[in-house]
Amino acid sequence: MQLSKRLSAVAEFVTPGGCLVDVGTDHGYVPIALLEQKKISSAIAMDVNRGPLERAREHIAQYNMGDYIETRLSDGLHALRAGEGDSLLIAGMGGGLTVRILSEGEADTVLIAGMGGMLMKRILEGGGHCLSSVGELILQPQSEIHLVRKFLAEHGYQITDEDIVLEDGKYYPILRAVPGEKENLKAEELFYGPRLLEKENPVLREYLLKQQEQNQTLIRQLSDHSSEKAAQRLWELKEKEAVLESALARFHTM
């Protein structure tokens, strides 16, 4: 199974040896690829829609992996049972080196990839019945990633690793989180990633510079407008500019 650049980066973050729960599995590509690589022992592929889940079942059958990958119709994590497995993967819904092996939940890793940050936050909020027994979360939000990082910080998760990949002109941030001590994140870390900034990730720097160029263009365009709506938007853009400047200041080579 050949994964896209984005999904390959997501799969890289999964700690070997456990059971993977793929939330919003779509075609089931990630669990199939990880089983081919013998990186996981089993998987549960879940999706809220019957169509994608049926496509996943077809691919699972095509690769003769029906004994190792279970499929479930599920709104988020609702169909994941507590008290029977090991770890949890979330990406779209990665690898950190902290390993925590659990023996009570269904999942070791929960993966959520390819969905918006607001939806991902809602899924995590609805997973209280099972997340306490999950070892790790692998998350790949498509938007509003600051909401996901804020949720993790407020609910006892530590972000252990992050990556960002460029594919087909789009930037995809990926993170791995495990239960840990509360981390107080600054504004630039919420929006652009504490571990990415620590590593001075070159793809993140490229993204920041493009964001800054676009933001400054909008500021110039709005500076000549005097309406209340324009003034509010200008204030928001200047706030974003300050956060971008703080993020770029973390890079020693400009």
Side-chain angles (χ1 to χ4, degrees), residues 180-240:
E181 296 182 4
K182 177 178 173 60
E183 188 173 14
N184 294 316
L185 300 179
K186 299 177 180 178
E188 67 269 20
E189 293 171 334
L190 281 172
F191 280 91
Y192 303 115
R195 307 292 86 85
L196 289 172
L197 290 168
E198 284 175 1
K199 294 186 290 187
E200 299 185 34
N201 183 283
V203 179
L204 174 64
R205 179 176 177 271
E206 176 185 300
Y207 172 76
L208 291 171
L209 290 171
K210 288 186 176 181
Q211 286 286 296
Q212 187 178 54
E213 182 181 2
Q214 293 171 3
N215 200 63
Q216 290 174 349
T217 298
L218 290 172
I219 288 174
R220 288 193 298 269
Q221 291 173 347
L222 282 172
S223 295
D224 294 332
H225 295 266
S226 57
S227 69
E228 183 176 340
K229 184 177 180 180
Q232 174 63 28
R233 179 61 176 145
L234 188 60
W235 179 85
E236 293 170 355
L237 291 169
K238 288 182 177 180
E239 286 286 298
K240 181 177 180 179

Side-chain angles (χ1 to χ4, degrees), residues 100 152-159 178-184:
R100 178 173 174 175
L152 295 172
E154 292 175 346
H155 289 80
Y157 288 93
Q158 185 175 21
I159 298 171
V178 302
E181 296 182 4
K182 177 178 173 60
E183 188 173 14
N184 294 316

Side-chain angles (χ1 to χ4, degrees), residues 18-91:
C19 173
L20 170 71
V21 172
D22 186 10
V23 181
T25 191
D26 197 17
H27 292 75
Y29 290 155
V30 173
I32 290 171
L34 288 174
L35 276 164
E36 276 191 323
Q37 298 166 20
K38 303 186 185 307
K39 190 171 183 179
I40 58 174
S41 59
S42 61
I44 302 170
M46 304 197 300
D47 206 286
V48 68
N49 296 310
R50 294 183 183 276
L53 201 62
E54 184 56 37
R55 289 196 295 272
R57 289 180 182 130
E58 291 171 359
H59 288 127
I60 291 165
Q62 178 184 346
Y63 284 84
N64 298 312
M65 291 184 177
D67 292 340
Y68 303 97
I69 304 176
E70 179 184 349
T71 59
R72 291 183 194 171
L73 189 68
S74 178
D75 182 2
L77 292 163
H78 290 173
L80 185 65
R81 297 186 293 270
E84 299 176 19
D86 293 332
S87 128
L88 177 70
L89 164 67
I90 302 181

Side-chain angles (χ1 to χ4, degrees), residues 102-121:
L102 305 175
S103 59
E104 296 183 353
E106 271 197 302
D108 296 304
T109 298
V110 168
L111 166 65
I112 304 175
M115 61 184 70
M118 181 66 78
L119 176 56
M120 191 173 291
K121 177 175 175 286

